[in-house]
Amino acid sequence: MALEFDTSFDPAYGRAVAVAPDVLRITARNPSPFTFHGTNSYLVGRDVLAVIDPGPEDDAHLETLLTAIAGRPVSHIFVSHTHRDHSPLAARLKELTGAPTLAEGPHRPARALRIGEVNPLDASADLTFVPDIVLADDALTEGDGWAIRAVLTPGHTANHAVFALEGTGSLFSADHVMAWSTSIVAPPDGAMADYMSSLDKLLARDDRLLLPGHGGAVTAPQRFMRGLKTHRKMRERGILERIRAGDRTITEMVAAIYRDTDPRLHGAAGLSVLAHLEDLVARGLVVTEGDPAIDGVFAPAA
C-alpha cells in the first residue's frame, strides 16, 4: 500500500478557516521541521463552542482564537496531548472563558527512565498541564449541538487522544495521523508498539475525514492509515536488514535509512529507530546487552 503525503497546505495565519460544518481551523504561526506550517487549533460548534488543542503559548495565536470565538461562550477545552505546541495556551484560554480542560491526563513517559538515561524530549513537554476532567477511552462529552468522543491513542505520547465529532464522520487526529508526514514516535515519551496498536484501533473505525494537528485534512483515512501501517512495517524491515548487513548502532542505521532526510531531523530519526528497536527486542527479533538504548549495540537474534 503506497503512502502518499500531501504537503499542499495554506496555513492562513491570522484567520479562521472553515474545514467542516461548524468546524473552524486556526493555525498558529509556529512552523518548524516538526510542526510543518504550525499547530492547528479547532473551534467546534455554532452558538456555544468547544476548542480542540489551543496551541502554543503565543499572544498572536490567542488573539486569533478570540477573534474567531467572537464573544461566544466556550464550554469545553480539549487537549490531545501535552507537547508544548498543543497544550500551553489552554491555561490562558481557560482563564478567559471559564471553560474546563479535558484530556487523558498530565504528561508522562511511555516507560520509566532507565538508569543513567536522560529524556531528550523534556524540553518539548508541557509538564504544568493537568486537565480538569480526565477522559477515559470512549468517553462522550456533549455540548450545544455537538458531541465529542475521546479515543485514546497512545504512541506519539503516552497520553495522546484523538476526538471524534459524533454523527459527522470527522475525527480530530492530532499528531497520530497527519497528511503531510508520519508521526514522531520517540522513546521514552512514545512507544512503537502502542502507536501501531492505536493505528489499528483507528483503522477499525469508519471515519471519513481526519483533521490533524498539523497540515491539511486526510480525506481518505482508511487508505492513508493502511499506507502508514505499511510504511512502519517497511521501516521495521529496513532496520532488520541493516542489522543483518552488519550495522550495529543507531547512528549507522540512520545514516543509511535516512540518507535523503533533512539532517535536522536525524536526531528524531534516531529516536524513531530506537522505538522500532525496543519493539523488535521485545519480540525477540533483535538482541542487545541490557535494555535497548540510543547508544546501544544491536545484533540479529540467533
Side-chain angles (χ1 to χ4, degrees):
M1 180 66 62
L3 179 60
E4 296 181 2
F5 294 117
D6 182 1
T7 58
S8 58
F9 177 69
D10 177 7
Y13 296 130
R15 61 185 177 90
V17 177
V19 292
D22 295 332
V23 178
L24 299 176
R25 182 188 68 220
I26 300 100
T27 304
R29 195 187 293 266
N30 61 327
S32 78
F34 301 101
T35 61
F36 195 33
H37 289 286
T39 303
N40 294 331
S41 301
Y42 295 94
L43 304 184
V44 178
R46 184 173 301 172
D47 299 318
V48 180
L49 306 178
V51 178
I52 296 177
D53 279 351
E57 183 58 67
D58 181 271
D59 290 342
H61 187 55
L62 177 60
E63 186 61 35
T64 304
L65 282 173
L66 293 175
T67 298
I69 289 169
R72 290 173 288 180
V74 174
S75 60
H76 300 79
I77 301 169
F78 293 87
V79 172
S80 66
H81 66 294
T82 43
H83 278 157
R84 287 187 179 273
D85 57 322
H86 287 262
S87 58
L89 204 58
R92 289 172 69 188
L93 195 62
K94 173 185 172 181
E95 183 179 349
L96 290 168
T97 64
T101 56
L102 301 87
E104 187 272 354
H107 195 82
R108 67 183 187 278
R111 60 163 174 77
L113 287 177
R114 291 158 182 157
I115 294 174
E117 185 180 22
V118 175
N119 185 354
L121 304 171
D122 272 347
S124 67
D126 178 6
L127 302 177
T128 64
F129 176 82
V130 178
D132 298 310
I133 299 171
V134 173
L135 294 172
D137 192 33
D138 207 40
L140 185 67
T141 303
E142 296 188 70
D144 182 12
W146 53 262
I148 290 175
R149 188 175 300 277
V151 182
L152 303 190
T153 50
H156 175 65
T157 59
N159 66 351
H160 196 283
V162 301
F163 303 111
L165 189 55
E166 290 286 282
T168 69
S170 295
L171 179 137
F172 301 91
S173 57
D175 285 9
H176 193 74
V177 180
M178 302 175 289
W180 75 283
S181 175
T182 57
S183 177
I184 293 172
V185 181
D189 272 19
M192 189 59 67
D194 290 346
Y195 178 84
M196 296 300 286
S197 177
S198 294
L199 193 59
D200 284 337
K201 188 177 187 177
L202 293 189
L203 275 165
R205 295 176 52 86
D206 60 355
D207 303 298
R208 300 186 299 277
L209 180 73
L210 303 187
L211 298 168
H214 308 277
V218 178
T219 56
Q222 287 290 321
R223 183 176 65 199
F224 187 78
M225 288 191 291
R226 288 195 296 271
L228 276 178
K229 186 172 181 178
T230 298
H231 173 81
R232 292 290 184 180
K233 290 296 185 183
M234 288 176 62
R235 181 69 75 222
E236 177 184 286
R237 286 196 295 272
I239 291 168
L240 284 171
E241 288 170 3
R242 293 310 310 169
I243 292 174
R244 289 165 183 157
D247 286 358
R248 292 293 174 262
T249 67
I250 289 175
T251 299
E252 291 173 310
M253 296 176 216
V254 168
I257 296 171
Y258 292 90
R259 58 183 175 273
D260 297 325
T261 299
D262 185 339
R264 293 177 296 173
L265 299 177
H266 279 194
L271 290 170
S272 179
V273 171
L274 175 59
H276 277 290
L277 286 167
E278 286 186 344
D279 187 35
L280 290 167
V281 169
R283 289 157 54 197
L285 298 175
V286 173
V287 296
T288 186
E289 185 174 345
D291 294 315
I294 195 70
D295 58 354
V297 176
F298 300 89

